[in-house]
PDB file of all heavy atoms in Angstrom:
ATOM      1  N   GLY W  10       9.408  -6.344 -10.310  1.00 56.00           N
ATOM      2  CA  GLY W  10      10.172  -6.089  -9.041  1.00 56.00           C
ATOM      3  C   GLY W  10      10.936  -4.738  -9.101  1.00 56.00           C
ATOM      4  O   GLY W  10      10.995  -4.055  -8.116  1.00 56.00           O
ATOM      5  N   GLU W  11      11.440  -4.486 -10.241  1.00 58.00           N
ATOM      6  CA  GLU W  11      12.157  -3.164 -10.442  1.00 58.00           C
ATOM      7  C   GLU W  11      11.142  -2.048 -10.303  1.00 58.00           C
ATOM      8  O   GLU W  11      11.447  -1.020  -9.681  1.00 58.00           O
ATOM      9  CB  GLU W  11      12.889  -3.130 -11.765  1.00 58.00           C
ATOM     10  CG  GLU W  11      14.007  -4.105 -11.887  1.00 58.00           C
ATOM     11  CD  GLU W  11      14.549  -4.263 -13.310  1.00 58.00           C
ATOM     12  OE1 GLU W  11      14.075  -3.497 -14.187  1.00 58.00           O
ATOM     13  OE2 GLU W  11      15.465  -4.996 -13.508  1.00 58.00           O
ATOM     14  N   GLU W  12       9.988  -2.142 -10.908  1.00 61.00           N
ATOM     15  CA  GLU W  12       8.941  -1.104 -10.826  1.00 61.00           C
ATOM     16  C   GLU W  12       8.507  -0.888  -9.380  1.00 61.00           C
ATOM     17  O   GLU W  12       8.312   0.227  -8.967  1.00 61.00           O
ATOM     18  CB  GLU W  12       7.749  -1.414 -11.695  1.00 61.00           C
ATOM     19  CG  GLU W  12       8.098  -1.275 -13.209  1.00 61.00           C
ATOM     20  CD  GLU W  12       6.821  -1.570 -14.014  1.00 61.00           C
ATOM     21  OE1 GLU W  12       5.711  -1.443 -13.513  1.00 61.00           O
ATOM     22  OE2 GLU W  12       7.017  -1.794 -15.254  1.00 61.00           O
ATOM     23  N   SER W  13       8.323  -2.009  -8.687  1.00 61.00           N
ATOM     24  CA  SER W  13       7.867  -1.881  -7.281  1.00 61.00           C
ATOM     25  C   SER W  13       8.988  -1.191  -6.422  1.00 61.00           C
ATOM     26  O   SER W  13       8.614  -0.309  -5.568  1.00 61.00           O
ATOM     27  CB  SER W  13       7.606  -3.320  -6.698  1.00 61.00           C
ATOM     28  OG  SER W  13       7.173  -3.222  -5.323  1.00 61.00           O
ATOM     29  N   ALA W  14      10.218  -1.491  -6.608  1.00 59.00           N
ATOM     30  CA  ALA W  14      11.276  -0.859  -5.872  1.00 59.00           C
ATOM     31  C   ALA W  14      11.316   0.655  -6.248  1.00 59.00           C
ATOM     32  O   ALA W  14      11.513   1.486  -5.358  1.00 59.00           O
ATOM     33  CB  ALA W  14      12.623  -1.516  -6.163  1.00 59.00           C
ATOM     34  N   ALA W  15      11.138   0.923  -7.505  1.00 60.00           N
ATOM     35  CA  ALA W  15      11.149   2.318  -7.971  1.00 60.00           C
ATOM     36  C   ALA W  15       9.942   3.070  -7.348  1.00 60.00           C
ATOM     37  O   ALA W  15      10.073   4.234  -6.875  1.00 60.00           O
ATOM     38  CB  ALA W  15      11.111   2.402  -9.492  1.00 60.00           C
ATOM     39  N   ALA W  16       8.810   2.418  -7.275  1.00 59.00           N
ATOM     40  CA  ALA W  16       7.648   3.051  -6.650  1.00 59.00           C
ATOM     41  C   ALA W  16       7.834   3.345  -5.172  1.00 59.00           C
ATOM     42  O   ALA W  16       7.488   4.381  -4.672  1.00 59.00           O
ATOM     43  CB  ALA W  16       6.409   2.137  -6.838  1.00 59.00           C
ATOM     44  N   SER W  17       8.549   2.435  -4.536  1.00 59.00           N
ATOM     45  CA  SER W  17       8.835   2.596  -3.052  1.00 59.00           C
ATOM     46  C   SER W  17       9.733   3.852  -2.958  1.00 59.00           C
ATOM     47  O   SER W  17       9.563   4.633  -2.017  1.00 59.00           O
ATOM     48  CB  SER W  17       9.518   1.425  -2.491  1.00 59.00           C
ATOM     49  OG  SER W  17       8.649   0.334  -2.328  1.00 59.00           O
ATOM     50  N   SER W  18      10.699   3.970  -3.769  1.00 58.00           N
ATOM     51  CA  SER W  18      11.680   5.008  -3.748  1.00 58.00           C
ATOM     52  C   SER W  18      10.994   6.373  -4.017  1.00 58.00           C
ATOM     53  O   SER W  18      11.232   7.363  -3.346  1.00 58.00           O
ATOM     54  CB  SER W  18      12.754   4.775  -4.762  1.00 58.00           C
ATOM     55  OG  SER W  18      13.712   5.866  -4.748  1.00 58.00           O
ATOM     56  N   LEU W  19      10.113   6.399  -5.074  1.00 61.00           N
ATOM     57  CA  LEU W  19       9.447   7.655  -5.399  1.00 61.00           C
ATOM     58  C   LEU W  19       8.420   8.080  -4.308  1.00 61.00           C
ATOM     59  O   LEU W  19       8.316   9.271  -4.012  1.00 61.00           O
ATOM     60  CB  LEU W  19       8.802   7.526  -6.748  1.00 61.00           C
ATOM     61  CG  LEU W  19       9.721   7.471  -7.916  1.00 61.00           C
ATOM     62  CD1 LEU W  19       8.922   7.179  -9.204  1.00 61.00           C
ATOM     63  CD2 LEU W  19      10.543   8.750  -8.071  1.00 61.00           C
ATOM     64  N   ALA W  20       7.730   7.132  -3.757  1.00 61.00           N
ATOM     65  CA  ALA W  20       6.669   7.436  -2.842  1.00 61.00           C
ATOM     66  C   ALA W  20       7.236   7.723  -1.420  1.00 61.00           C
ATOM     67  O   ALA W  20       6.597   8.423  -0.657  1.00 61.00           O
ATOM     68  CB  ALA W  20       5.656   6.285  -2.683  1.00 61.00           C
ATOM     69  N   GLY W  21       8.442   7.286  -1.212  1.00 77.00           N
ATOM     70  CA  GLY W  21       9.022   7.462   0.097  1.00 77.00           C
ATOM     71  C   GLY W  21       8.476   6.485   1.114  1.00 77.00           C
ATOM     72  O   GLY W  21       8.748   6.610   2.301  1.00 77.00           O
ATOM     73  N   LEU W  22       7.736   5.531   0.697  1.00 84.00           N
ATOM     74  CA  LEU W  22       7.144   4.513   1.564  1.00 84.00           C
ATOM     75  C   LEU W  22       7.339   3.130   0.932  1.00 84.00           C
ATOM     76  O   LEU W  22       7.261   3.019  -0.284  1.00 84.00           O
ATOM     77  CB  LEU W  22       5.665   4.654   1.667  1.00 84.00           C
ATOM     78  CG  LEU W  22       5.049   5.764   2.484  1.00 84.00           C
ATOM     79  CD1 LEU W  22       3.512   5.771   2.330  1.00 84.00           C
ATOM     80  CD2 LEU W  22       5.434   5.589   3.931  1.00 84.00           C
ATOM     81  N   SER W  23       7.746   2.198   1.758  1.00 85.00           N
ATOM     82  CA  SER W  23       7.892   0.822   1.273  1.00 85.00           C
ATOM     83  C   SER W  23       6.464   0.296   1.161  1.00 85.00           C
ATOM     84  O   SER W  23       5.455   0.805   1.727  1.00 85.00           O
ATOM     85  CB  SER W  23       8.725  -0.049   2.193  1.00 85.00           C
ATOM     86  OG  SER W  23       8.049  -0.270   3.370  1.00 85.00           O
ATOM     87  N   LEU W  24       6.322  -0.839   0.453  1.00 86.00           N
ATOM     88  CA  LEU W  24       5.039  -1.486   0.302  1.00 86.00           C
ATOM     89  C   LEU W  24       4.496  -1.893   1.694  1.00 86.00           C
ATOM     90  O   LEU W  24       3.330  -1.737   2.061  1.00 86.00           O
ATOM     91  CB  LEU W  24       5.121  -2.756  -0.585  1.00 86.00           C
ATOM     92  CG  LEU W  24       3.919  -3.529  -0.814  1.00 86.00           C
ATOM     93  CD1 LEU W  24       2.797  -2.740  -1.350  1.00 86.00           C
ATOM     94  CD2 LEU W  24       4.215  -4.768  -1.686  1.00 86.00           C
ATOM     95  N   GLN W  25       5.424  -2.441   2.546  1.00 90.00           N
ATOM     96  CA  GLN W  25       5.103  -2.841   3.930  1.00 90.00           C
ATOM     97  C   GLN W  25       4.527  -1.704   4.709  1.00 90.00           C
ATOM     98  O   GLN W  25       3.583  -1.790   5.432  1.00 90.00           O
ATOM     99  CB  GLN W  25       6.293  -3.463   4.598  1.00 90.00           C
ATOM    100  CG  GLN W  25       6.172  -3.728   6.029  1.00 90.00           C
ATOM    101  CD  GLN W  25       5.988  -5.253   6.305  1.00 90.00           C
ATOM    102  OE1 GLN W  25       6.156  -6.033   5.360  1.00 90.00           O
ATOM    103  NE2 GLN W  25       5.693  -5.589   7.510  1.00 90.00           N
ATOM    104  N   GLU W  26       5.217  -0.578   4.628  1.00 92.00           N
ATOM    105  CA  GLU W  26       4.781   0.659   5.395  1.00 92.00           C
ATOM    106  C   GLU W  26       3.435   1.108   4.943  1.00 92.00           C
ATOM    107  O   GLU W  26       2.581   1.450   5.753  1.00 92.00           O
ATOM    108  CB  GLU W  26       5.794   1.811   5.235  1.00 92.00           C
ATOM    109  CG  GLU W  26       7.109   1.581   5.915  1.00 92.00           C
ATOM    110  CD  GLU W  26       8.163   2.570   5.520  1.00 92.00           C
ATOM    111  OE1 GLU W  26       8.195   2.995   4.388  1.00 92.00           O
ATOM    112  OE2 GLU W  26       8.837   3.064   6.415  1.00 92.00           O
ATOM    113  N   ALA W  27       3.247   1.055   3.620  1.00 92.00           N
ATOM    114  CA  ALA W  27       1.913   1.477   3.089  1.00 92.00           C
ATOM    115  C   ALA W  27       0.828   0.606   3.548  1.00 92.00           C
ATOM    116  O   ALA W  27      -0.285   1.064   4.001  1.00 92.00           O
ATOM    117  CB  ALA W  27       2.053   1.562   1.570  1.00 92.00           C
ATOM    118  N   LYS W  28       1.124  -0.705   3.600  1.00 93.00           N
ATOM    119  CA  LYS W  28       0.089  -1.627   4.099  1.00 93.00           C
ATOM    120  C   LYS W  28      -0.232  -1.423   5.536  1.00 93.00           C
ATOM    121  O   LYS W  28      -1.420  -1.464   5.923  1.00 93.00           O
ATOM    122  CB  LYS W  28       0.592  -3.055   3.850  1.00 93.00           C
ATOM    123  CG  LYS W  28       0.489  -3.604   2.479  1.00 93.00           C
ATOM    124  CD  LYS W  28       1.046  -4.998   2.436  1.00 93.00           C
ATOM    125  CE  LYS W  28       1.006  -5.609   1.107  1.00 93.00           C
ATOM    126  NZ  LYS W  28       1.498  -7.091   1.114  1.00 93.00           N
ATOM    127  N   GLN W  29       0.807  -1.119   6.328  1.00 95.00           N
ATOM    128  CA  GLN W  29       0.627  -0.920   7.820  1.00 95.00           C
ATOM    129  C   GLN W  29      -0.191   0.346   8.018  1.00 95.00           C
ATOM    130  O   GLN W  29      -1.102   0.404   8.834  1.00 95.00           O
ATOM    131  CB  GLN W  29       1.973  -0.802   8.505  1.00 95.00           C
ATOM    132  CG  GLN W  29       2.648  -2.156   8.614  1.00 95.00           C
ATOM    133  CD  GLN W  29       4.030  -1.962   9.217  1.00 95.00           C
ATOM    134  OE1 GLN W  29       4.629  -0.912   9.259  1.00 95.00           O
ATOM    135  NE2 GLN W  29       4.555  -3.070   9.723  1.00 95.00           N
ATOM    136  N   ILE W  30       0.067   1.386   7.271  1.00 94.00           N
ATOM    137  CA  ILE W  30      -0.622   2.617   7.442  1.00 94.00           C
ATOM    138  C   ILE W  30      -2.123   2.492   7.157  1.00 94.00           C
ATOM    139  O   ILE W  30      -3.001   2.984   7.873  1.00 94.00           O
ATOM    140  CB  ILE W  30      -0.016   3.814   6.550  1.00 94.00           C
ATOM    141  CG1 ILE W  30       1.334   4.202   7.109  1.00 94.00           C
ATOM    142  CG2 ILE W  30      -0.956   5.037   6.544  1.00 94.00           C
ATOM    143  CD1 ILE W  30       2.188   5.092   6.177  1.00 94.00           C
ATOM    144  N   LEU W  31      -2.440   1.787   6.041  1.00 94.00           N
ATOM    145  CA  LEU W  31      -3.853   1.611   5.687  1.00 94.00           C
ATOM    146  C   LEU W  31      -4.436   0.342   6.281  1.00 94.00           C
ATOM    147  O   LEU W  31      -5.595   0.044   6.037  1.00 94.00           O
ATOM    148  CB  LEU W  31      -4.030   1.594   4.160  1.00 94.00           C
ATOM    149  CG  LEU W  31      -3.807   2.929   3.459  1.00 94.00           C
ATOM    150  CD1 LEU W  31      -4.076   2.792   1.969  1.00 94.00           C
ATOM    151  CD2 LEU W  31      -4.678   3.963   4.044  1.00 94.00           C
ATOM    152  N   ASN W  32      -3.651  -0.422   7.103  1.00 94.00           N
ATOM    153  CA  ASN W  32      -4.175  -1.540   7.817  1.00 94.00           C
ATOM    154  C   ASN W  32      -4.749  -2.576   6.857  1.00 94.00           C
ATOM    155  O   ASN W  32      -5.884  -3.074   7.053  1.00 94.00           O
ATOM    156  CB  ASN W  32      -5.142  -1.152   8.940  1.00 94.00           C
ATOM    157  CG  ASN W  32      -5.443  -2.301   9.876  1.00 94.00           C
ATOM    158  OD1 ASN W  32      -4.582  -3.127  10.083  1.00 94.00           O
ATOM    159  ND2 ASN W  32      -6.635  -2.274  10.423  1.00 94.00           N
ATOM    160  N   VAL W  33      -4.020  -2.933   5.828  1.00 94.00           N
ATOM    161  CA  VAL W  33      -4.403  -3.959   4.906  1.00 94.00           C
ATOM    162  C   VAL W  33      -3.312  -5.036   4.826  1.00 94.00           C
ATOM    163  O   VAL W  33      -2.127  -4.738   5.099  1.00 94.00           O
ATOM    164  CB  VAL W  33      -4.680  -3.431   3.444  1.00 94.00           C
ATOM    165  CG1 VAL W  33      -5.886  -2.533   3.400  1.00 94.00           C
ATOM    166  CG2 VAL W  33      -3.464  -2.807   2.900  1.00 94.00           C
ATOM    167  N   THR W  34      -3.680  -6.267   4.567  1.00 92.00           N
ATOM    168  CA  THR W  34      -2.695  -7.332   4.548  1.00 92.00           C
ATOM    169  C   THR W  34      -2.391  -7.702   3.102  1.00 92.00           C
ATOM    170  O   THR W  34      -1.357  -8.329   2.901  1.00 92.00           O
ATOM    171  CB  THR W  34      -3.257  -8.601   5.255  1.00 92.00           C
ATOM    172  OG1 THR W  34      -4.523  -8.950   4.722  1.00 92.00           O
ATOM    173  CG2 THR W  34      -3.411  -8.326   6.713  1.00 92.00           C
ATOM    174  N   SER W  35      -3.280  -7.370   2.193  1.00 90.00           N
ATOM    175  CA  SER W  35      -2.960  -7.722   0.764  1.00 90.00           C
ATOM    176  C   SER W  35      -3.173  -6.450  -0.034  1.00 90.00           C
ATOM    177  O   SER W  35      -3.750  -5.518   0.406  1.00 90.00           O
ATOM    178  CB  SER W  35      -3.872  -8.826   0.290  1.00 90.00           C
ATOM    179  OG  SER W  35      -5.215  -8.365   0.331  1.00 90.00           O
ATOM    180  N   VAL W  36      -2.774  -6.560  -1.303  1.00 90.00           N
ATOM    181  CA  VAL W  36      -2.966  -5.453  -2.263  1.00 90.00           C
ATOM    182  C   VAL W  36      -4.283  -5.635  -2.988  1.00 90.00           C
ATOM    183  O   VAL W  36      -4.334  -5.931  -4.149  1.00 90.00           O
ATOM    184  CB  VAL W  36      -1.757  -5.392  -3.188  1.00 90.00           C
ATOM    185  CG1 VAL W  36      -1.852  -4.116  -4.091  1.00 90.00           C
ATOM    186  CG2 VAL W  36      -0.446  -5.320  -2.435  1.00 90.00           C
ATOM    187  N   ASP W  37      -5.383  -5.477  -2.209  1.00 92.00           N
ATOM    188  CA  ASP W  37      -6.780  -5.664  -2.734  1.00 92.00           C
ATOM    189  C   ASP W  37      -7.327  -4.244  -2.888  1.00 92.00           C
ATOM    190  O   ASP W  37      -7.541  -3.532  -1.902  1.00 92.00           O
ATOM    191  CB  ASP W  37      -7.560  -6.508  -1.834  1.00 92.00           C
ATOM    192  CG  ASP W  37      -8.999  -6.606  -2.229  1.00 92.00           C
ATOM    193  OD1 ASP W  37      -9.280  -6.628  -3.515  1.00 92.00           O
ATOM    194  OD2 ASP W  37      -9.935  -6.707  -1.383  1.00 92.00           O
ATOM    195  N   PRO W  38      -7.685  -3.854  -4.149  1.00 93.00           N
ATOM    196  CA  PRO W  38      -8.199  -2.458  -4.383  1.00 93.00           C
ATOM    197  C   PRO W  38      -9.428  -2.149  -3.513  1.00 93.00           C
ATOM    198  O   PRO W  38      -9.554  -1.016  -3.103  1.00 93.00           O
ATOM    199  CB  PRO W  38      -8.490  -2.438  -5.875  1.00 93.00           C
ATOM    200  CG  PRO W  38      -7.695  -3.564  -6.458  1.00 93.00           C
ATOM    201  CD  PRO W  38      -7.554  -4.592  -5.409  1.00 93.00           C
ATOM    202  N   VAL W  39     -10.301  -3.062  -3.267  1.00 94.00           N
ATOM    203  CA  VAL W  39     -11.501  -2.857  -2.472  1.00 94.00           C
ATOM    204  C   VAL W  39     -11.125  -2.496  -1.026  1.00 94.00           C
ATOM    205  O   VAL W  39     -11.632  -1.530  -0.432  1.00 94.00           O
ATOM    206  CB  VAL W  39     -12.451  -4.037  -2.604  1.00 94.00           C
ATOM    207  CG1 VAL W  39     -13.646  -3.833  -1.684  1.00 94.00           C
ATOM    208  CG2 VAL W  39     -12.887  -4.269  -4.076  1.00 94.00           C
ATOM    209  N   ASP W  40     -10.310  -3.333  -0.434  1.00 94.00           N
ATOM    210  CA  ASP W  40      -9.852  -3.123   0.934  1.00 94.00           C
ATOM    211  C   ASP W  40      -9.069  -1.837   1.045  1.00 94.00           C
ATOM    212  O   ASP W  40      -9.269  -1.021   2.034  1.00 94.00           O
ATOM    213  CB  ASP W  40      -8.949  -4.239   1.448  1.00 94.00           C
ATOM    214  CG  ASP W  40      -9.778  -5.535   1.714  1.00 94.00           C
ATOM    215  OD1 ASP W  40     -11.003  -5.433   1.792  1.00 94.00           O
ATOM    216  OD2 ASP W  40      -9.051  -6.574   1.808  1.00 94.00           O
ATOM    217  N   ILE W  41      -8.236  -1.495   0.097  1.00 94.00           N
ATOM    218  CA  ILE W  41      -7.410  -0.277   0.147  1.00 94.00           C
ATOM    219  C   ILE W  41      -8.362   0.920   0.106  1.00 94.00           C
ATOM    220  O   ILE W  41      -8.262   1.862   0.895  1.00 94.00           O
ATOM    221  CB  ILE W  41      -6.454  -0.247  -1.052  1.00 94.00           C
ATOM    222  CG1 ILE W  41      -5.415  -1.351  -0.897  1.00 94.00           C
ATOM    223  CG2 ILE W  41      -5.845   1.109  -1.215  1.00 94.00           C
ATOM    224  CD1 ILE W  41      -4.544  -1.528  -2.142  1.00 94.00           C
ATOM    225  N   ALA W  42      -9.360   0.908  -0.843  1.00 95.00           N
ATOM    226  CA  ALA W  42     -10.255   2.066  -0.917  1.00 95.00           C
ATOM    227  C   ALA W  42     -11.162   2.176   0.313  1.00 95.00           C
ATOM    228  O   ALA W  42     -11.306   3.358   0.759  1.00 95.00           O
ATOM    229  CB  ALA W  42     -11.163   1.819  -2.166  1.00 95.00           C
ATOM    230  N   LYS W  43     -11.621   1.095   0.862  1.00 96.00           N
ATOM    231  CA  LYS W  43     -12.468   1.162   2.045  1.00 96.00           C
ATOM    232  C   LYS W  43     -11.690   1.730   3.259  1.00 96.00           C
ATOM    233  O   LYS W  43     -12.144   2.625   3.941  1.00 96.00           O
ATOM    234  CB  LYS W  43     -12.961  -0.229   2.359  1.00 96.00           C
ATOM    235  CG  LYS W  43     -13.924  -0.287   3.546  1.00 96.00           C
ATOM    236  CD  LYS W  43     -14.413  -1.697   3.808  1.00 96.00           C
ATOM    237  CE  LYS W  43     -13.361  -2.356   4.726  1.00 96.00           C
ATOM    238  NZ  LYS W  43     -13.704  -3.654   5.258  1.00 96.00           N
ATOM    239  N   ASN W  44     -10.451   1.172   3.495  1.00 95.00           N
ATOM    240  CA  ASN W  44      -9.707   1.708   4.655  1.00 95.00           C
ATOM    241  C   ASN W  44      -9.148   3.131   4.406  1.00 95.00           C
ATOM    242  O   ASN W  44      -9.111   3.903   5.396  1.00 95.00           O
ATOM    243  CB  ASN W  44      -8.489   0.731   4.881  1.00 95.00           C
ATOM    244  CG  ASN W  44      -8.988  -0.601   5.485  1.00 95.00           C
ATOM    245  OD1 ASN W  44     -10.118  -0.865   5.546  1.00 95.00           O
ATOM    246  ND2 ASN W  44      -7.991  -1.369   5.851  1.00 95.00           N
ATOM    247  N   TYR W  45      -8.870   3.463   3.195  1.00 96.00           N
ATOM    248  CA  TYR W  45      -8.427   4.824   2.863  1.00 96.00           C
ATOM    249  C   TYR W  45      -9.576   5.831   3.211  1.00 96.00           C
ATOM    250  O   TYR W  45      -9.373   6.844   3.924  1.00 96.00           O
ATOM    251  CB  TYR W  45      -8.044   4.927   1.370  1.00 96.00           C
ATOM    252  CG  TYR W  45      -7.871   6.354   0.950  1.00 96.00           C
ATOM    253  CD1 TYR W  45      -6.743   7.067   1.287  1.00 96.00           C
ATOM    254  CD2 TYR W  45      -8.868   7.000   0.234  1.00 96.00           C
ATOM    255  CE1 TYR W  45      -6.632   8.417   0.906  1.00 96.00           C
ATOM    256  CE2 TYR W  45      -8.796   8.297  -0.133  1.00 96.00           C
ATOM    257  CZ  TYR W  45      -7.612   8.986   0.171  1.00 96.00           C
ATOM    258  OH  TYR W  45      -7.486  10.347  -0.185  1.00 96.00           O
ATOM    259  N   GLU W  46     -10.817   5.499   2.746  1.00 96.00           N
ATOM    260  CA  GLU W  46     -11.872   6.417   2.964  1.00 96.00           C
ATOM    261  C   GLU W  46     -12.122   6.643   4.472  1.00 96.00           C
ATOM    262  O   GLU W  46     -12.308   7.786   4.986  1.00 96.00           O
ATOM    263  CB  GLU W  46     -13.222   5.888   2.316  1.00 96.00           C
ATOM    264  CG  GLU W  46     -13.156   5.973   0.789  1.00 96.00           C
ATOM    265  CD  GLU W  46     -13.128   7.379   0.260  1.00 96.00           C
ATOM    266  OE1 GLU W  46     -13.730   8.255   0.902  1.00 96.00           O
ATOM    267  OE2 GLU W  46     -12.476   7.594  -0.796  1.00 96.00           O
TER     268      GLU W  46
END
C-alpha cells in the first residue's frame, strides 16, 4: 500500500486516473499493453 501511494505520488497520477486514461478496469498486463498500443 505504501509503495502504491508512493508510485501515485511520483507518477503524478493515481491508480484510478491511470486506469481511466488507458480504459482498463483491472491491472492486467495484457489489457494494459493492448490499450496502450
